Amino acid sequence: MYRYDEFDQGFVTQRTEQFKDQVRRRLSGELSEEEFKPLRLMNGLYLQLHAYMLRVAIPYGTLNSRQMQKLAHIARTYDRGYGHFTTRQNIQFNWPSLADTPKILEELAEVEMHAIQTSGNCIRNVTADHFAGAAADEIADPRPYAEILRQWSSLHPEFSFLPRKFKIAITGAPHDRAAVQVHDIGLQLTRNEAGETGFVVFVGGGLGRTPMIGRKVRDFLPEEDLLAYSEAILRVYNLYGRRDNKYKARIKILVHETGLEELKADIEAEFAKIRYGVLRLPDEEVRRIEAYFAPPPLEVLPETDGAFEARKAADAAFAQFVAHNLNPHRVPGHVSVTISMKPIGGIPGDATDVQMDEIAAIAKAYGHDEIRISHEQNVILPHVKLADVPAIFDRLVAGGMAEGNSGLITDIIACPGMDYCALATARSIPVAQRISERFGGADRQAEIGELKIKISGCINACGHHHVGHIGILGLEKKGEEFYQITLGGSANENSSIGEIIGRGFSSEEVVDAIETLVDTYLGLRSSKEETFLDAYRRVGDDPFKEALYGTG
Amino acid sequence: MKIVTANRLIDGEVVWLGAGNAWVGQVSEALVLDGKDDVAAALAAGLASAERREVVDVYEVDVTEEDGKLVPVRLREKIRAKGPTTHPELGKQAQASQA
Ligand code: SF4
């Protein structure tokens, strides 16, 4: 597992000291709010509707039990006893005071955590597949590369004032669980015919006001060129990206306005200049960083386990959990377990201090001390023995975290929305809660099968609604909340942006509308195996429109 | 009808300008303003307070009266006045029920 080296520790400590002094100067009047605001944002501190909000980075979603316990401690000591896992694999605390924030950052630094690069027009926290280092279908662990990118981009002087924020995601498996095609740069690990490791590179994906799927600029970028090529992309963006209009400043707009071929040529030209320079990645360096992520020693075990099978046969809730919340592991006899942070009727992504402590304890007892946060707002134990799953399940039941709904209709992504967020145009969480209640029956969810609902409380799309199989966008119309529905979005290796189905729905109507859509799907699917998304892609909009609006 | 609101600098707590230009913690105690001049004067008082580092983000909010109670017009401000609708035990609504 990656450990901060001395440079990082010194750097984070120094940053914490700086911020402490900045808060002191703000409170004493040496700094005005205008001067202070960018400084606090650089340290992940926002002012929301009810209070400040602190966003803490969890690089590539990886943490250990000590770090999770620290998050629990912060929730308990400085906040209101809970935190919120976000779609960027971060955690947000909703109630810290400004006065306490330096102390919180100090506590985080004790466990090698911080809030740097969670805000501002810089290269943000790099995200990765939450099953990284564990998944059976993985080519290589993407996190060493994410870490190399993090080290390169941390306070990169040239890229601290980009036209706009810049997000990079990386996946190590052909099945993309990191939504790489909707990031400014998306990287997909691959091997060429000679068996060498490299990357498929996508540029210009993104959600928000103008959603776009990233365009492929490279089929195979050799491993050693990762930084030089990334730097080339950033340089071209930094030079040509628009600074006149915030809404047109992301690289996706540049790709769109310049045209892929021309931009590709610009990137390649820049790359040719720097390819053999200091950014070339020596093999030893990659292997050195890889060693930090060395997997725990896992014994090869039988593919099945008697007690596990017996429990599955006897306990329907356990069987449901097994059916949906386990992911195949590369080592036989092991699995990755998804701990659902989506209890029926609950708040997507919220975890109490007690739950965080319990997750830490379970990870210690059964999971080689490794924990991941997924961009789908769940928690993952990447390395677990199949034989230990019943014991883990029992503890999750006791902690209210045992819902076997991963990937199902109640595994909803929702941003904080107007219950917290200063930018929101409508609430997200209560809609998620009502949908979860409506479809929460175990049989009903299982019958519906894989269905990703994603909800955002404004056009900024933190809830990734554009790539939901069903997306819901909360807007305001004549002072009332109203919700626009999109269908057919997806964020995997076959990414697509959802299409608006028609006029929006009031808060009262929206859950019924979702039910109509789901019933329509159930009525027209060719078999139980045909998912909502597949069915939608086969039949198109019309049957769903007809069901919602009777336009036929 | 308008009132003036802000967030307290030290902890972000939502406050409204009350009588005597003091910040109050419940919307019911906010000073109701009619007419441009009153609003301008209240905003000026709020901004002066921001200068003294008591609050940040001073702005005016439309309110109406419902059943004799002061209620912000926009949902955003209603939620600020109460707390997250998803957590009735948190924010102003909790303080109000204890009072
Ligand atoms: S999508 Fe909008 S409402 Fe939701 S968290 Fe992002 S900015 Fe806030």
Side-chain angles (χ1 to χ4, degrees):
Chain A
M1 173 118 176
Y2 174 70
R3 291 175 303 272
Y4 268 55
D5 56 25
E6 278 163 36
F7 164 78
D8 272 334
Q9 191 62 56
F11 165 65
V12 171
T13 310
Q14 194 188 2
R15 242 330 243 283
T16 308
E17 283 302 312
Q18 265 174 15
F19 188 59
K20 196 174 180 177
D21 191 51
Q22 287 156 358
V23 171
R24 185 192 59 74
R25 285 189 289 153
R26 173 70 184 112
L27 294 176
S28 73
E30 287 168 58
L31 291 176
S32 68
E33 183 62 15
E34 246 181 351
E35 292 164 324
F36 179 67
K37 190 173 169 184
L39 299 173
R40 72 163 156 74
L41 287 175
M42 275 167 65
N43 290 283
L45 191 66
Y46 289 70
L47 182 61
Q48 295 288 33
L49 293 183
H50 314 288
Y52 290 97
M53 177 272 278
L54 181 66
R55 183 180 293 156
V56 177
I58 303 174
Y60 25 88
T62 295
L63 71 174
N64 59 29
S65 56
R66 200 169 138 250
Q67 293 171 318
M68 187 62 113
Q69 282 163 344
K70 183 60 93 178
L71 297 177
H73 164 78
I74 288 169
R76 190 160 48 234
T77 313
Y78 303 100
D79 210 86
R80 307 277 164 96
Y82 67 105
H84 177 76
F85 294 114
T86 76
T87 53
R88 300 259 328 133
Q89 298 180 306
N90 296 316
I91 186 168
Q92 294 179 176
F93 293 105
N94 292 305
W95 306 90
S97 83
L98 177 60
D100 281 342
T101 308
K103 185 78 189 104
I104 299 175
L105 293 180
E106 262 173 34
E107 294 231 23
L108 286 170
E110 284 170 18
V111 295
E112 295 146 7
M113 295 183 83
H114 56 75
I116 299 164
Q117 285 180 306
T118 61
S119 163
N121 294 335
C122 61
I123 301 171
R124 300 284 186 91
N125 186 24
V126 178
T127 52
D129 180 1
H130 42 272
F131 295 129
D137 63 348
E138 187 170 271
I139 292 166
D141 189 338
R143 292 172 305 156
Y145 304 101
E147 173 54 23
I148 288 166
L149 288 164
R150 190 195 66 78
Q151 292 190 8
W152 158 76
S153 65
S154 280
L155 296 194
H156 193 304
E158 212 177 309
F159 305 140
S160 293
F161 296 95
L162 293 169
R164 202 73 179 87
K165 60 188 166 188
F166 201 90
K167 298 177 181 175
I168 304 177
I170 178 164
T171 176
H175 178 48
D176 175 13
R177 288 171 290 254
V180 305
Q181 292 178 26
V182 290
H183 284 75
D184 295 283
I185 294 180
L187 299 166
Q188 178 138 29
L189 270 160
T190 184
R191 292 240 157 86
N192 65 8
E193 280 162 14
E196 294 156 338
T197 306
F199 309 89
V200 183
V201 184
F202 298 90
V203 169
L207 301 175
R209 196 168 293 263
T210 321
M212 287 189 195
I213 299 297
R215 308 289 296 274
K216 198 196 280 182
V217 289
R218 270 289 184 125
D219 282 309
F220 186 83
L221 177 74
E223 179 185 77
E224 67 217 27
D225 292 326
L226 175 64
L227 292 187
Y229 198 81
S230 301
E231 179 121 344
I233 295 171
L234 262 301
R235 279 198 182 164
V236 169
Y237 171 53
N238 212 11
L239 193 61
Y240 299 115
R242 288 178 62 168
R243 290 173 192 268
D244 60 324
N245 181 341
K246 174 171 152 181
Y247 300 123
K248 301 202 164 165
R250 294 290 287 270
I251 194 171
K252 61 190 174 189
I253 305 290
L254 184 65
V255 174
H256 186 69
E257 288 185 350
T258 313
L260 183 65
E261 290 312 316
E262 190 181 336
L263 201 75
K264 235 158 89 175
D266 288 342
I267 295 169
E268 292 293 337
E270 189 61 37
F271 175 56
K273 278 190 235 161
I274 57 177
R275 180 171 190 181
Y276 297 104
V278 292
L279 287 172
R280 197 167 178 79
L281 260 182
D283 188 57
E284 320 84 75
E285 180 62 9
V286 180
R287 306 288 86 83
R288 183 182 75 84
I289 302 237
E290 244 171 24
Y292 286 128
F293 294 90
L298 299 175
E299 207 187 329
V300 172
L301 295 168
E303 300 268 5
T304 53
D305 176 80
F308 174 90
E309 294 301 329
R311 177 78 184 268
K312 216 169 85 179
D315 178 346
F318 182 73
Q320 165 107 351
F321 184 83
V322 167
H324 302 293
N325 291 32
L326 303 187
N327 197 63
H329 200 285
R330 61 185 165 70
V331 180
H334 292 78
V335 288
S336 300
V337 173
T338 298
I339 303 176
S340 171
M341 293 288 108
K342 320 286 175 72
I344 301 308
I347 297 175
D350 271 17
T352 66
D353 59 327
V354 177
Q355 289 177 325
M356 289 187 241
D357 273 336
E358 179 62 0
I359 291 166
I362 297 173
K364 229 180 190 164
Y366 302 105
H368 298 271
D369 206 22
E370 288 211 22
I371 303 164
R372 307 283 170 71
I373 307 305
S374 76
H375 82 272
E376 294 180 325
Q377 302 178 292
N378 290 315
V379 176
I380 314 290
L381 302 175
H383 313 294
V384 163
K385 273 187 206 154
L386 190 65
D388 286 335
V389 173
I392 293 173
F393 179 73
D394 288 336
R395 288 183 68 162
L396 293 177
V397 170
M401 299 181 279
E403 197 58 42
N405 62 349
S406 176
L408 298 182
I409 187 168
T410 59
D411 186 6
I412 299 167
I413 289 185
C415 78
M418 205 188 265
D419 283 300
Y420 296 96
C421 180
L423 302 172
T425 40
R427 287 174 296 166
S428 316
I429 297 168
V431 175
Q433 290 177 299
R434 280 156 51 212
I435 294 173
S436 174
E437 273 160 11
R438 178 78 60 98
F439 295 98
D443 293 345
R444 192 167 190 199
Q445 305 197 47
E447 176 64 24
I448 296 164
E450 184 187 328
L451 208 180
K452 297 187 189 239
I453 297 186
K454 306 187 191 229
I455 311 175
S456 303
C458 81
I459 193 69
N460 288 323
C462 303
H464 296 179
H465 64 277
H466 297 112
V467 290
H469 302 168
I470 299 178
I472 302 177
L473 167 63
L475 296 164
E476 184 184 348
K477 192 176 167 189
K478 296 189 189 127
E480 300 284 331
E481 291 167 298
F482 112 110
Y483 296 88
Q484 200 172 63
I485 296 178
T486 49
L487 297 183
S490 166
N492 63 9
E493 61 281 8
N494 299 310
S495 285
S496 52
I497 301 295
E499 299 278 342
I500 297 172
I501 183 80
R503 70 170 166 76
F505 296 89
S506 72
S507 174
E508 290 73 42
E509 296 163 338
V510 66
V511 180
D512 290 339
I514 300 300
E515 189 163 32
T516 302
L517 292 169
V518 170
D519 287 344
T520 306
Y521 152 67
L522 291 174
L524 61 72
R525 69 180 173 187
S526 58
S527 74
K528 213 180 156 207
E529 280 62 53
E530 190 179 48
T531 63
F532 181 93
L533 183 64
D534 291 340
Y536 172 82
R537 284 178 174 170
R538 176 172 58 84
V539 303
D541 265 358
D542 286 344
F544 296 98
K545 266 199 181 130
E546 173 65 31
L548 280 180
Y549 309 109
T551 45
Chain B
M1 289 198 304
K2 287 184 190 292
I3 57 179
V4 165
T5 187
N7 290 74
R8 216 149 60 192
L9 172 66
I10 190 84
D11 56 7
E13 178 82 27
V14 179
V15 288
W16 295 269
L17 202 64
N21 290 339
W23 294 105
V24 297
Q26 292 292 339
V27 72
S28 56
E29 296 160 19
L31 186 69
V32 180
L33 309 159
D34 287 306
K36 270 192 187 146
D37 293 349
D38 280 4
V39 174
L43 279 175
L47 289 172
S49 167
E51 284 290 310
R52 293 192 301 273
R53 307 182 302 281
E54 293 159 349
V55 295
V56 291
D57 277 6
V58 179
Y59 60 93
E60 61 193 74
V61 169
D62 287 316
V63 284
T64 54
E65 241 179 53
E66 279 173 22
D67 306 328
K69 277 190 188 154
L70 218 48
V71 183
V73 173
R74 293 188 57 206
L75 179 64
R76 179 186 200 275
E77 294 305 321
K78 284 192 176 94
I79 292 176
R80 278 181 83 242
K82 286 189 169 169
T85 63
T86 48
H87 275 289
E89 78 286 9
L90 296 179
K92 308 280 181 193
Q93 53 204 353
Q95 297 155 20
S97 64
Q98 278 163 16

